[in-house]
Amino acid sequence: MAAENRAFVGSIVVAGAILVAGSPFLMGFLQKWESGKARVLVVYADPLAGGLPTVCNGLTRHVTSTPIIVGERWTDEQCDAEERSAVVAVQKRLAPCFKRPPSQMVFDMATSHAWNLGPAATCGSGAMTAWNRGQWTLGCQRIARGDDGTLVWSYTCKTVGGQRQCTFVQGLANRRADEAQTCGEVL
């Protein structure tokens, strides 16, 4: 992605702090975990998301109103525009959950978590509870692990025959560990 496309998107007020919306660091972090070295430009049915049509760096119907149809080819320019817009929309839903001003890195990693799991999950998480008490390091740790040290947010779940079945996904555990470490690096 060209540097100018990753440039400053704008600002967003979070608990009185002015933070960069769609920061270049965040956009690169999302690409790392959603697509790897190159964006996915052909819409695919994401097996971890129950076949949800996905493109670019994790764009789905949950973050954009633009139709996403399996097999359709997108351009880098389409991805740039839709990703920026979708990230800012997620951040606007996430911002009111913070009762204290976070650092840019905490906000970026909370956004990555929300991008992957939804703003409601991030807002209701143990990480957000800790951050709102001013426990920044603990909040960052809680992105990946519960207070008892168990891995959290590293499973994909579905209901089969009325029973909820969850499967551990190493890639999600790796992403959570990276978010937690990156979140805490500047504290």
Side-chain angles (χ1 to χ4, degrees), residues 2-157:
E4 63 271 13
N5 291 332
R6 289 185 172 221
F8 175 74
V9 171
S11 62
I12 189 166
V13 177
V14 183
I18 298 175
L19 298 174
V20 176
S23 77
F25 180 84
L26 171 63
M27 300 309 284
F29 191 87
L30 292 177
Q31 179 161 326
K32 172 184 175 180
W33 285 104
E34 295 290 345
S35 301
K37 292 183 181 185
R39 270 191 186 127
V40 177
L41 296 178
V42 177
V43 179
Y44 67 99
D46 186 344
L48 288 179
L52 184 66
T54 305
V55 71
C56 305
N57 290 318
L59 285 175
T60 69
R61 64 180 164 80
H62 296 295
V63 296
T64 182
S65 60
T66 300
I68 299 175
I69 301 161
V70 172
E72 185 176 68
R73 176 170 281 284
W74 283 44
T75 66
D76 274 321
E77 292 76 22
Q78 283 176 293
C79 289
D80 283 341
E82 288 293 329
E83 286 170 5
R84 281 194 306 266
S85 176
V87 165
V88 171
V90 166
Q91 289 182 317
K92 285 180 178 177
R93 290 179 54 205
L94 185 62
C97 300
F98 282 93
K99 306 305 176 207
R100 295 173 183 258
S103 68
Q104 183 71 51
M105 195 60 69
V106 167
F107 189 56
D108 284 352
M109 293 304 95
T111 302
S112 174
H113 188 272
W115 183 259
N116 190 223
L117 300 160
T122 305
C123 289
S125 70
M128 188 62 70
T129 299
W131 291 327
N132 283 333
R133 289 194 304 245
Q135 297 171 311
W136 301 105
T137 301
L138 178 61
C140 291
Q141 292 167 354
R142 283 185 174 171
I143 289 176
R145 295 191 176 269
D147 287 336
D148 61 359
T150 59
L151 294 172
V152 294
W153 306 109
S154 300
Y155 298 84
T156 183
C157 301

